[in-house]
Amino acid sequence: MTDELDSTVRDLADVPAIEVISRAAVMLMSSAAEKLGLADSDPDLSPSRDLDEARRVITALAGLVTASVEYLGPHAGPIREGLQSLQRAFREASAHPDEPGKGPGEKYTGPVY
């Protein structure tokens, strides 16, 4: 078990930071999309829809993107666009949308319209 754990740690040590950050961002994006119900044909009827959980994941994604944008290089644009799309989808899904600047992650990204 110890040899297997040591091998896993060494493998992770070989992964460049940009790849770790990008993978984390993609995982958070996927989770937010699921929690917004976007994986279903009718998001309004999705059993996976949970806006409270989506808010948390989008805010975490916004913090990660804001903190690491200088390291993302050419990946920064598409990741930011994905984040903004999720923020807009959250606003559209909300029965009572937050004021601009008060939505999930907007304290890190600024208002998303």
Side-chain angles (χ1 to χ4, degrees):
M1 177 82 173
T2 303
D3 291 336
E4 184 178 319
L5 183 61
D6 289 342
S7 174
T8 303
V9 172
R10 278 192 297 265
D11 291 343
L12 188 56
D14 294 336
V15 179
I18 185 62
E19 189 173 336
V20 173
I21 295 166
S22 296
R23 284 184 184 189
V26 169
M27 184 184 306
L28 289 167
M29 284 181 186
S30 297
S31 175
E34 287 284 341
K35 293 180 185 314
L36 289 170
L38 300 177
D40 293 317
S41 58
D42 187 350
D44 292 331
L45 300 176
S46 173
S48 301
R49 183 176 242 177
D50 185 336
L51 295 183
D52 187 48
E53 287 285 305
R55 176 183 296 276
R56 294 172 188 187
V57 176
I58 293 168
T59 299
L61 174 61
L64 174 65
V65 171
T66 301
S68 60
V69 71
E70 67 183 289
Y71 307 116
L72 294 174
H75 304 288
I79 291 173
R80 278 183 156 167
E81 288 171 15
L83 169 58
Q84 289 174 351
S85 293
L86 291 167
Q87 289 171 311
R88 281 191 217 93
F90 182 91
R91 185 175 307 282
E92 290 173 12
S94 298
H96 304 286
D98 299 313
E99 296 176 32
K102 303 290 184 183
E106 291 182 8
K107 69 181 179 181
Y108 301 114
T109 64
V112 175
Y113 300 96

